[in-house]
Amino acid sequence: MLTQRNLLVRTAQVVALFLMFCLGLFDLAAGTLTDAGIQTALLRVLCAIATAAVWLPLYQQGSRRLPINALAVSVFSLLLTLRLAAADSGTRSYGFAETAGLLMVVYVVARRGQPRWSIGAILALGMAVGFLPLRGGLGYYSVIIGLIQGLAATAVIGAGVYLRTIESNRRRAMDSVRAEQRAEFARDLHDFIAHHVTGIVVQAQGARYIAEQDPQRAIEALERIESAGAETMASMRRMVGVLRDPDAEPDAPLAPLAGVDELKPLLEQFTAAGGALARLHVEGDTSGLPVEVSTSAYRVVMEALTNIRRHARGARVADVWIRRTPEWLLVRVANDGEASGPPREAPGYGLVGLQERVRAVGGRITAGPGIDGGWVVDAALPLDRATAW
């Protein structure tokens, strides 16, 4: 399924293909009206079709196949130029469709190609574009047009490299946010496990001392130890793959974990701070939730309320729904402010980090304008890892 961004790219490619088709028809017409002949014109159009086969696919960033294919096309174009220049046909028609196709290849290689292979491919493509006018002869006119096309190729390279740099910077920022979010999640898990293990040790020590005097209390302590151990092991199994920052302190202090039970004070603080009136709606029993699910739900609500304060102009009410089903914990945060478009992400990329946190527990989160206005954030968190997306 094409994303919105890929759909825009495909639309631009269709427009470019149509323009190349028109230029190809012009090249064929020019070939029949000049000394170059229809055979030469067909070769030019064939080379233009070859360029389209190179720049049309949607390549992954750092593709190695892309610059290799581009290098092959540029060599073919240079050989055709040498042949036509040696024939000295005297015509000024040199293949406008091929020129457009080569410039598109230059852009795609500068934008997506593997750097080590792209350097040579771009140099060859630049020569192919700059030497194209020499097919019509070695006169002053051909040299000037060749220089202009070389400058155009340079501009296209600059545009491709600029967009590549922007995407690379954004990718690094998003990776950093994801890593920070996973590290924070791992620290939460560390605190939870440390809390329960400490309780297990204390209860085991107490059970040992009271075993002889009050066996019934010892049995109750053992039951609590079993329950705490089972909950800890379940959370550890769910969080396999969430790695902790190796540079973090091994003896991190224990910190209370904010979960669903702490949502009411959070909403009260939000309302008291001068934001919209925050209302909490809870359906179902929220006791006994897995710790990673409860803390993730809290973070979803906290981030959504933060975005309401920053971006929801005119918001008067913020409603938070928490609904527990047999397999899912559903979270929704909605406001009645203006929904002119998605909120601009802050430098911390809060939404990106939130998506990473929800995905880490096997859930899914969406954000978008509501049917009745405002902005709605929906998250579904699985209570059992087996039901995760």
Side-chain angles (χ1 to χ4, degrees), residues 266-277:
L266 176 66
L267 269 62
E268 292 174 351
Q269 294 173 7
F270 176 82
T271 301
L277 173 62

Side-chain angles (χ1 to χ4, degrees), residues 67-126:
I68 292 176
N69 293 341
L71 186 61
V73 168
S74 62
V75 170
F76 179 76
S77 177
L78 284 170
L79 292 175
L80 183 58
T81 297
L82 290 175
R83 174 189 169 183
L84 297 179
D88 193 15
S89 61
T91 178
R92 293 183 178 182
S93 175
Y94 53 86
F96 296 105
E98 182 182 349
T99 300
L102 287 174
L103 289 176
M104 290 294 297
V105 175
V106 169
Y107 169 78
V108 174
V109 172
R111 181 79 167 80
R112 296 289 183 185
Q114 187 186 62
R116 186 175 62 179
W117 286 86
S118 295
I119 295 176
I122 288 176
L123 289 175
L125 288 167

Side-chain angles (χ1 to χ4, degrees), residues 78-349:
L78 284 170
L79 292 175
L80 183 58
T81 297
L82 290 175
R83 174 189 169 183
L84 297 179
D88 193 15
S89 61
T91 178
R92 293 183 178 182
S93 175
Y94 53 86
F96 296 105
E98 182 182 349
T99 300
L102 287 174
L103 289 176
M104 290 294 297
V105 175
V106 169
Y107 169 78
V108 174
V109 172
R111 181 79 167 80
R112 296 289 183 185
Q114 187 186 62
R116 186 175 62 179
W117 286 86
S118 295
I119 295 176
I122 288 176
L123 289 175
L125 288 167
M127 294 174 59
V129 172
F131 291 166
L132 268 177
L134 299 181
R135 296 177 181 180
L138 303 178
Y140 177 79
Y141 172 84
S142 299
V143 174
I144 294 298
I145 297 299
L147 290 175
I148 294 175
Q149 292 199 169
L151 291 176
T154 302
V156 170
I157 293 170
V161 171
Y162 174 73
L163 294 177
R164 183 189 190 114
T165 302
I166 291 178
E167 182 176 351
S168 178
N169 291 339
R170 176 173 175 78
R171 190 184 302 273
R172 282 197 296 268
M174 293 178 65
D175 289 342
S176 176
V177 169
R178 291 191 178 102
E180 291 174 2
Q181 190 63 43
R182 285 180 173 269
E184 183 180 357
F185 206 170
R187 282 192 292 270
D188 285 351
L189 182 63
H190 163 267
D191 296 339
F192 171 78
I193 292 175
H195 171 75
H196 276 280
V197 170
T198 301
I200 289 172
V201 172
V202 171
Q203 292 182 71
Q205 291 173 342
R208 185 179 62 183
Y209 287 112
I210 66 174
E212 296 181 359
Q213 292 84 0
D214 193 345
Q216 183 60 37
R217 290 181 59 189
I219 293 175
E220 293 175 356
L222 291 175
E223 291 176 349
R224 289 193 294 270
I225 291 172
E226 180 184 7
S227 176
E231 186 176 357
T232 302
M233 291 300 297
S235 293
M236 290 180 64
R237 284 194 298 268
R238 292 189 186 98
M239 288 307 301
V240 169
V242 179
L243 304 178
R244 182 172 180 174
D245 184 357
D247 298 327
E249 294 293 334
D251 297 323
L254 294 181
L257 299 180
V260 172
D261 294 336
E262 284 71 40
L263 284 177
K264 186 175 180 180
L266 176 66
L267 269 62
E268 292 174 351
Q269 294 173 7
F270 176 82
T271 301
L277 173 62
R279 302 181 299 197
L280 179 62
H281 313 273
V282 179
E283 300 180 19
D285 184 12
T286 59
S287 61
L289 290 172
V291 62
E292 62 274 13
V293 172
S294 183
T295 56
S296 296
Y298 182 90
R299 296 299 174 89
V300 168
V301 175
M302 182 174 65
E303 183 65 29
L305 293 178
T306 300
N307 286 334
I308 291 174
R309 182 178 289 116
R310 291 179 179 177
H311 307 294
R313 293 172 296 179
R316 294 171 298 175
V317 177
D319 286 300
V320 178
W321 286 274
I322 304 294
R323 180 187 175 194
R324 181 173 184 174
T325 69
E327 297 180 344
W328 298 91
L329 181 69
L330 306 177
V331 181
R332 167 171 286 194
V333 183
N335 67 83
D336 61 350
E338 298 180 15
S340 56
R344 297 186 299 270
E345 286 187 347
Y349 292 86

Side-chain angles (χ1 to χ4, degrees), residues 43-55:
L43 286 175
R44 295 168 179 170
V45 173
L46 178 62
C47 192
I49 294 174
T51 63
V54 174
W55 61 261

